Amino acid sequence: MRLFAGLLALIPLAGHAETHEVRMLTRGETGAMIYEPAYLEIAPGDTVRFLPAQRGHNAASIPEMLPEGADRFIGKIDEEIAVIFEVEGRYGIKCSPHYAMGMVMIVDVGEVDGAAPLPDGLPDRARERMSDLLGR
């Protein structure tokens, strides 16, 4: 029994990553064309499941809002996608067909510089929604 307990102590604590769920909605509690929640703070290694709660949406990374070394992702319309966020930093997420309408969210992974500016080139409604999410 002691040998078994000793072996268990040597196993890294890899099973502590969390899974977060985000619903993709045409209309929700906070308005139209939204993710619920629209902002997440998570740890490196956590997974986010993007759920198509209402039709016509996807989740895709915004290339200008990817931390260095992070991989892009693009989910298909009306399909669930699960993304493991390994690299620390701020991620911008968009619904491809509704990006210009402001259907965006932010995922902060680990330590993030909260004062970092939003990148140039975001659609006006997306910039406005992200600024609201960040309290700017």
Side-chain angles (χ1 to χ4, degrees), residues 14 21 41-42 82 120 126 134:
E21 293 187 348
E41 289 181 356
I42 66 174
D120 293 332
L134 297 172

Side-chain angles (χ1 to χ4, degrees), residues 4-127:
F4 180 69
L7 289 173
L8 282 178
L10 296 175
I11 297 173
L13 298 175
H16 285 45
E18 292 186 42
T19 298
H20 309 267
E21 293 187 348
V22 173
R23 296 173 14 148
M24 300 180 280
L25 302 169
T26 301
R27 178 153 303 279
E29 291 181 20
T30 59
M33 303 303 170
I34 61 167
Y35 292 96
E36 276 187 358
Y39 177 79
L40 287 174
E41 289 181 356
I42 66 174
D46 282 2
T47 298
V48 177
R49 290 180 53 221
F50 295 93
L51 307 172
Q54 295 172 347
R55 298 188 47 78
H57 306 292
N58 77 329
S61 56
I62 299 172
E64 301 83 14
M65 291 187 71
L66 272 179
E68 187 174 327
D71 293 328
R72 292 180 65 186
F73 64 88
I74 301 174
K76 294 180 181 176
I77 302 295
D78 295 331
E79 288 190 5
E80 178 181 321
I81 181 174
V83 180
I84 301 172
F85 290 84
E86 306 260 354
V87 178
E88 284 193 353
R90 175 162 288 155
Y91 293 75
I93 313 298
K94 66 180 178 180
C95 173
S96 299
H98 303 115
Y99 185 34
M101 296 174 74
M103 190 167 176
V104 294
M105 74 170 294
I106 294 173
V107 178
D108 282 345
V109 180
E111 297 295 319
V112 174
D113 177 7
L118 293 171
D120 293 332
L122 295 176
D124 290 342
R125 302 242 358 235
R127 176 176 296 284

